[in-house]
Amino acid sequence: MPPQSRSGSQADTAATPPPAEHGQDARLLTEAVTRLRRALRASIRTDYPWEQLPMAQVELLQVLAEHSPARIGDLAARQRLATSTVSGLIGQMISAGLVARAVDPADRRASAVTLTDAGRAQLAAWAEAHERRLDAALGALDEADRAIVRAALPALFRLADHLDT
Amino acid sequence: MPPQSRSGSQADTAATPPPAEHGQDARLLTEAVTRLRRALRASIRTDYPWEQLPMAQVELLQVLAEHSPARIGDLAARQRLATSTVSGLIGQMISAGLVARAVDPADRRASAVTLTDAGRAQLAAWAEAHERRLDAALGALDEADRAIVRAALPALFRLADHLDT
DNA sequence: CAGGTTACATCGGCTACCGAAATGTTCTGC
DNA sequence: GCAGAACATTTCGGTAGCCGATGTAACCTG
């Protein structure tokens, strides 16, 4: 059993659109997501080893880069995570100096999380390495594949929305 | 900050194809994969709660359903996992009675892993629930989205291949 | 048959999550 | 104006998902 990729030949992209066994889609989609997640994590580990930043933290930094200050609950809702999860992540990020937590003066139960300069810098460095890596992989695809991946992104988001409805 | 989905309106599917900031693709793709993984895991937890089967184990069962007996190393190569990871998973699966391990007579260092009847049954039940769930989500998409997701799968596999090259 | 190379198993360690319970705040209705 | 419901968050304990290093047979090769 070779570690063959299930990507098949290039011709697959256009092949077998009418028959399309329905049940297979579920399997293939799940497999694709799993493979991509693993590949992304692995390539990040090797490409950006000098300052390991867990992906979950990166994603929070990205949100914070655009909406700051933010409350724990808002971050959790946006990322579809439990608030306890986000709370823990933010705790680590504070220890790492990436973000700061202040009390929301309007509601003292809530916290206002903001990026620190270090956080912004780390995020920028990470994003740079990550984009470089992903762009290389995307560039290795042919134009048709690249186009279809790009075009599928909004649909994939909508699919995720339906899944956690 | 509402927990808005980044999927946007339906019109987004066709919108902004020419400008397409290149760097954004990396970010969006990563985000989509993360969201889908979380959504898939969560929906499995809620849809198939009566007999929790970790996804990593399911994937091994699926491979074994098609190539059996298999050696640990082959399974690992195929799934792009470390052999120690697969070894551990198989250990759990043996405890759960899903697979059996025998010594490969041709090479006594190697093991020959096979599905048990229980394993086959569990896999079938799982696949059924999972397909039902995913098909429902896919069915909630409009025809164009569904088509593009399906069409993008081979390209996504190829992208994963390039990533772990 | 000595030494190097496999094929695994085991260990320790980290990320990534979740749910339940505890704590302090705010908001209601009376 | 105050008891109690509703909230925002934290803490805790637990599971899943991975990897690398190390140890141990079993193989292979000169």
Side-chain angles (χ1 to χ4, degrees):
Chain A
M1 183 178 48
Q4 45 163 346
S5 70
R6 248 80 76 256
S7 58
S9 67
Q10 289 293 120
D12 278 3
T13 309
T16 52
E21 246 189 85
H22 203 53
Q24 278 305 71
D25 287 348
R27 162 101 179 260
L28 286 178
L29 181 57
T30 308
E31 215 173 313
V33 170
T34 302
R35 289 261 289 109
L36 280 171
R37 173 180 50 94
R38 290 211 267 251
L40 285 173
R41 292 231 307 143
S43 70
I44 286 164
R45 256 205 321 282
T46 59
D47 287 347
Y48 188 66
W50 65 88
E51 188 77 72
Q52 284 301 1
L53 202 41
M55 274 200 51
Q57 295 189 19
V58 171
E59 285 162 9
L60 287 179
L61 289 178
Q62 285 174 333
V63 174
L64 285 169
E66 290 173 3
H67 310 296
S68 181
R71 305 170 9 138
I72 300 284
D74 292 338
L75 292 170
R78 192 177 231 284
Q79 302 293 85
R80 269 80 168 180
L81 293 174
T83 64
S84 62
T85 301
V86 175
S87 176
L89 287 169
I90 294 293
Q92 298 171 231
M93 293 162 80
I94 290 175
S95 306
L98 303 173
V99 300
R101 177 168 42 199
V103 229
D104 181 340
D107 182 347
R108 284 199 313 248
R109 291 169 302 179
S111 49
V113 181
T114 51
L115 274 182
T116 62
D117 288 342
R120 232 180 306 274
Q122 284 285 307
L123 175 58
W126 186 93
E128 218 257 312
H130 183 55
E131 274 172 30
R132 192 194 305 287
R133 172 54 147 166
L134 234 182
D135 285 353
L138 282 168
L141 294 175
D142 60 35
E143 189 51 56
D145 276 359
R146 204 160 33 247
I148 202 170
V149 166
R150 239 197 296 273
L153 291 180
L156 290 175
F157 274 109
R158 280 190 284 273
L159 179 59
D161 286 344
H162 288 306
L163 276 171
D164 49 34
T165 284
Chain B
M1 182 177 48
Q4 44 162 349
S5 68
R6 250 80 78 253
S7 58
S9 65
Q10 289 293 120
D12 277 2
T13 310
T16 51
E21 245 190 86
H22 202 52
Q24 279 304 73
D25 287 347
R27 161 101 179 259
L28 287 178
L29 180 57
T30 307
E31 214 172 313
V33 169
T34 301
R35 289 262 289 110
L36 281 172
R37 173 179 53 94
R38 290 211 267 251
L40 285 173
R41 293 230 307 142
S43 71
I44 286 164
R45 257 204 322 281
T46 59
D47 286 347
Y48 188 66
W50 66 87
E51 189 77 72
Q52 285 299 0
L53 201 41
M55 274 199 53
Q57 296 189 18
V58 171
E59 285 162 9
L60 287 179
L61 288 178
Q62 285 174 333
V63 174
L64 285 169
E66 290 172 4
H67 310 296
S68 181
R71 301 163 25 131
I72 302 284
D74 292 338
L75 292 170
R78 192 179 232 283
Q79 303 292 88
R80 268 79 169 181
L81 293 174
T83 65
S84 63
T85 301
V86 176
S87 176
L89 287 170
I90 294 293
Q92 298 172 230
M93 293 162 79
I94 290 175
S95 307
L98 302 173
V99 300
R101 176 169 42 198
V103 227
D104 181 340
D107 182 346
R108 284 199 314 249
R109 291 168 303 178
S111 48
V113 181
T114 51
L115 273 182
T116 62
D117 289 342
R120 233 179 305 275
Q122 283 286 306
L123 174 57
W126 186 91
E128 217 258 309
H130 183 54
E131 274 171 30
R132 192 194 304 290
R133 173 53 147 165
L134 233 182
D135 285 352
L138 282 167
L141 295 175
D142 61 36
E143 188 51 54
D145 276 359
R146 204 159 35 246
I148 202 171
V149 167
R150 240 197 295 273
L153 290 180
L156 291 176
F157 274 108
R158 280 190 284 274
L159 179 59
D161 286 344
H162 288 308
L163 276 170
D164 49 34
T165 285

